[in-house]
Amino acid sequence: MPLSAFALILLAGVIHASWNIAAKKANGDARFAFQSGVFMALVWAPVGITLGWSVVPTWGMKEWGFIALSGVLHVFYYVILLRGYRKSDLTVVYPLARGSGPLLSSLVAILFLGEKISLVGVAGIFGVVLGVFLVAGGPRLFHRKHDLIQRERVQKGIRYGVLTGAFIAAYTVTDSYAVKFLAMSPILLDYMSNFVRLALLLPAALQDRATTARMWREQWKYALLVAAISPVSYVLVLYAVQQAPISHVAPAREVSMLFAALIGGHLLREGDRLLRLLGALFIAAGVVALALG
């Protein structure tokens, strides 16, 4: 991987962890996702219009098909992620969401597509499983005195984290193909697919307008932060994909888990910080081993 691509991924990791912490603190739902999308369309309008003025009219059915598919996958990803943050801790949901995508992709390839795996890859699978175990509470899960409420909260975090990871894997493959093989602009891909997301989220925003208005007043600062920086983190990754293989970029993105475990655990004062940081480290190392094996 070129050093420039790795630098893009590191910067994207810090930004990605930061906006996820803001989304967690907002404690929002689909209406927060819609508000973020509205701000995103406004904040990035000058860039989108400048880059797309002469390019978008040349797109055919294939390009618009990828725009639509990307928008749908990102909506499911974001709404499920937000729900996971409402039900559980960031230091549980985030590492599982980031780590389960590559793990699920590898297992499907091995079990159904006939791909082979080396001992390094097997070690990577065990690393991810061990990391999930530590994030979920480690040895305390076997203690009868373990807080049942906290255990249920962690179990919800595991379910939402893994489901989010499945959508991460789906949109990563979709968007990477669009920028790498269709030569679509990463910025335009993300900006134009945002309008698909807005259309899908609009019914949720209009369902209870009084509640939506109240939540917008309470959460607008977090929504504005997410809108301003989340596209930067993802676009940086897509530019890295243009410089390096997808199989190398996707695992390297997992460095964001360490930033989230460090920054999020401190700011949000979630319990078991050291244990969950260690778990995030194992998941990240396991994902990298999967890429190598």
Side-chain angles (χ1 to χ4, degrees):
M1 179 184 299
L3 184 60
S4 58
F6 187 65
L8 290 175
I9 293 169
L10 284 180
L11 180 58
V14 176
I15 298 173
H16 193 276
S18 300
W19 79 252
N20 271 265
I21 293 168
K24 165 65 177 176
K25 289 178 72 67
N27 196 33
D29 54 14
R31 287 166 288 205
F32 177 78
F34 180 77
Q35 184 181 19
S36 301
V38 171
F39 282 148
M40 194 178 299
L42 296 174
V43 170
W44 292 99
V47 177
I49 293 173
T50 301
L51 294 180
W53 189 262
S54 59
V55 174
V56 172
T58 66
W59 285 350
M61 291 296 295
K62 184 177 291 187
E63 286 82 1
W64 284 112
F66 273 90
I67 290 290
L69 180 58
S70 177
V72 171
L73 293 174
H74 275 272
V75 163
F76 280 103
Y77 150 73
Y78 196 25
V79 171
I80 293 170
L81 178 68
L82 291 175
R83 183 171 298 178
Y85 284 161
R86 294 199 308 275
K87 302 290 185 180
S88 187
D89 295 339
L90 176 136
T91 46
V92 173
V93 177
Y94 191 86
L96 293 176
R98 299 308 314 168
S100 58
L103 176 62
L104 292 173
S105 301
S106 299
L107 291 178
V108 169
I110 294 167
L111 296 176
F112 300 104
L113 301 180
E115 291 192 5
K116 305 297 182 182
I117 188 170
S118 68
L119 288 177
V120 174
V122 173
I125 291 177
F126 279 106
V128 173
V129 173
L130 177 59
V132 170
F133 173 67
L134 293 176
V135 166
R140 281 196 291 274
L141 288 175
F142 301 110
H143 295 171
R144 292 184 178 180
K145 295 182 180 180
H146 190 76
D147 188 346
L148 293 179
I149 296 178
Q150 178 62 17
R151 180 184 297 182
E152 182 180 357
R153 182 176 175 84
V154 169
Q155 289 173 350
K156 288 181 180 179
I158 292 175
R159 290 195 294 269
Y160 282 110
V162 172
L163 185 57
T164 303
F167 281 103
I168 289 175
Y171 78 63
T172 298
V173 173
T174 299
D175 294 351
S176 297
Y177 183 92
V179 302
K180 201 172 185 71
F181 298 104
L182 299 183
M184 295 180 68
S185 163
I187 296 176
L188 286 179
L189 173 64
D190 187 65
Y191 185 74
M192 296 304 295
S193 66
N194 180 54
F195 291 101
V196 177
R197 302 194 289 266
L198 287 174
L200 294 174
L201 292 167
L202 181 60
L206 296 178
Q207 187 174 10
D208 184 351
R209 298 185 183 184
T211 302
T212 298
R214 176 181 58 80
M215 294 179 67
W216 275 43
R217 289 192 298 270
E218 296 174 352
Q219 301 171 342
W220 72 269
K221 292 181 181 179
Y222 297 115
L224 182 58
L225 178 61
V226 170
I229 68 174
S230 64
V232 178
S233 65
Y234 192 54
V235 167
L236 288 176
V237 170
L238 293 179
Y239 274 116
V241 165
Q242 292 181 326
Q243 301 178 32
I246 300 172
S247 59
H248 292 179
V249 173
R253 289 188 67 194
E254 310 316 318
V255 70
S256 64
M257 288 189 296
L258 304 181
F259 297 131
L262 282 169
I263 303 172
H266 176 71
L267 292 179
L268 302 176
R269 302 186 183 279
E270 297 175 350
D272 299 329
R273 276 186 282 174
L274 291 179
L275 193 64
R276 292 176 181 177
L277 175 61
L278 183 61
L281 182 61
F282 271 105
I283 294 174
V287 169
V288 172
L290 278 171
L292 296 176

